Amino acid sequence: MATNSQHPYHPIIYVRGFAATQGEIEETVADPYMGFNVGSTKSRVAWTGDVKRFYFESPLVRLMSDHKYEDVFVDGDDLVAAERNNHPVPYRSIIIYRYYDEASKDFGTGETPPIEHFAKGLDQLILRLRDKVCANKANNMTPADFRVHLVAHSMGGLVCRAFLQNTKLGSAAARAAVDKVFTYATPHNGIDMRIVRNIPGWLSFGDVNNFNREKMAAYLDVPRGDDVSLVKNFPPERIFNLVGTNPRDYNVAGGISAWAAGDASDGLVRIENAITHGPGADGKDVTSPRAFVHRSHSGHYGIVNSEEGYQNLTRFLFGTLRVDGILNVDDITLPMEVQKAFKDGKKVRASYQFEIAASVRGCQWQMTRREVRENSAIFRSYGQLFPGKDGTERVPDRAMSPHLFSVFLDPRKSVKTSKSVSFAFDVKVLVPDYEVNGVLFIKRHYEGGFIFRELILVEAFPDENALGGWRVKYGYQDINPGKPGVDAQVQLLSTGDASQGFVFNIPIEQKTRPGLRGSLRIEARPWS
């Protein structure tokens, strides 16, 4: 990787989503870019339903205009697919994996191959692209230096995972060339509907059984069971999951799909099924970086055709700093009346909703957003945060601490004078519905109220003399708008190893009842 002078701008292979019917397949193969060129002029404005005009040219056009990428279509030929075309292939190029061509009646047999076949085809495409790129002397590239990014929508993410995870479906050389994977709205843990828990394996219409967990376990080469989102043979932290949270605007099948998928979905894929995990470098299970955006599975309000999607994509692919926010809760106090009932031996139950919205300086779009009214807030019961028996002292379970965000920053887009990078996050802990002996306690309840809420700004300045290479400030929007002013007490993530990144904590203490005590843990790591 160190010898690749073009890093992080590697070739991008786009892997499209599922086409159910023959008509959809024919429409797909008739498009040179298979949908990656589709933009939108519409932007849904939150919950009101009003439509705002916003011109998003498409991911393809933006990558070309912003990052100088090129396509590989010249004189009617696909330079990567054409065996005898000697036209040079640029390194910073976008390639469309046209895996549905074989299923077309015009270009193929009209029969759709299995997903395993698509995975093998991706392996061959990567190796063919590598050879074409390395043959172009202007790229100054050797096969050992060559890397590629995979960007996939919906089922395309499963094609990528099948190729990466199942050693029977690809070569070691092609897998080693993959640098990062970005998935839009991929059903990593299958598709669940109201009527049936999981797409049944016998339902072969349009090959929708590709989303049955037993079948997925086979082509992903993971143990059969309820969880097929497990990543193997590839670092889970180098897969980004962009999760849609808006079923309302998914109009496929006249809205039946959105109804069947339910509220906590993008209209097809449930939020809980759109995230991958797997063993990290230390062998412990880690969840892949992810972001949540109020977009539907596809269409004019779709997740691919969105500025939020593009901003997350380019920062994940090209950024140099990853920042994660975790809310560590040390204690949550109860209202006085509920506390008295608890001391009197009555059974008290409560669960908590955590809302988060994170944004980066200079961008009008939020990188991630999870809200109760969009059915995407983080949910934790008191028993999850503080496991144990009633009447005993409980210690917080850090494994259940809410992970608020993963944000990728690019210092190349920093303020020119200070070279700093900055982001903000709005975090809320909503007042729960308390139950006392099974009866709802609402004497002190105001809908929409919260125990804790702060809009916090964080700014990091590169400083070779500072611990971890960065000097960090944070602040509160309501105290000093737009200007972080408190010096963070930075520590190294790994003792004695500044290359692993740094961490600092922002203390929280709400002394009111109900109240919250804990800290916001901010972890920053170099990203390449």
Side-chain angles (χ1 to χ4, degrees), residues 14 16 28 31-39 58-60 96 304-305:
Y14 175 69
R16 67 150 286 131
T28 294
D31 181 348
Y33 304 103
M34 288 192 162
F36 201 38
N37 56 314
V38 176
S58 81
L60 183 83
I96 309 301
V304 178
N305 309 328

Side-chain angles (χ1 to χ4, degrees), residues 424-444:
F425 57 99
D426 187 3
V427 59
K428 297 182 240 179
V429 183
L430 275 67
V431 173
D433 293 330
Y434 300 99
E435 279 190 5
V436 178
N437 279 353
V439 178
L440 194 64
F441 176 85
I442 57 175
K443 291 181 180 179
R444 301 282 182 254

Side-chain angles (χ1 to χ4, degrees), residues 67 73 84 121 124 204 235 256 373 498 518:
H67 297 282
F73 300 137
R84 298 180 182 178
Q124 296 165 9
S204 59
I256 294 176
R373 68 183 179 187

Side-chain angles (χ1 to χ4, degrees), residues 9 62 66-67 310-311 314-315 318-320 360-363 408-416 419-422:
Y9 294 102
R62 290 293 296 277
D66 295 351
H67 297 282
Y310 176 76
Q311 293 295 335
T314 53
R315 282 170 166 76
F318 312 136
T320 60
V360 297
R361 181 176 55 197
C363 179
F408 292 84
L409 304 173
D410 190 350
R412 288 165 296 193
K413 298 179 180 179
S414 63
V415 176
K416 291 183 179 180
K419 304 296 182 183
S420 68
V421 291
S422 183

Side-chain angles (χ1 to χ4, degrees), residues 253-271:
I256 294 176
S257 171
W259 171 84
D263 290 330
S265 75
D266 63 9
L268 181 64
V269 181
R270 291 188 180 178
I271 292 172

Side-chain angles (χ1 to χ4, degrees), residues 166-203:
N166 193 333
T167 56
K168 297 178 182 178
L169 304 180
S171 64
R175 287 195 298 273
V178 178
D179 184 55
K180 300 186 185 89
V181 180
F182 186 97
T183 66
Y184 294 96
T186 291
H188 289 293
N189 195 37
I191 291 179
D192 292 307
M193 296 291 179
R194 293 178 193 261
I195 303 172
V196 290
R197 182 173 180 271
N198 182 224
I199 296 292
W202 49 262
L203 186 60

Side-chain angles (χ1 to χ4, degrees), residues 229 231 235-241 272 274-280 284-290 292 322 324 370 380 399 403 406:
S229 59
V231 174
E237 59 268 27
R238 297 190 78 79
I239 299 179
F240 191 100
N241 305 141
E272 62 187 12
I275 302 169
T276 52
H277 69 97
K284 296 180 180 179
D285 190 77
V286 297
T287 304
S288 299
R290 60 276 189 198
F292 300 79
R322 172 182 171 173
D324 289 86
R370 305 187 69 172
R380 294 287 189 275
H403 180 281
S406 294

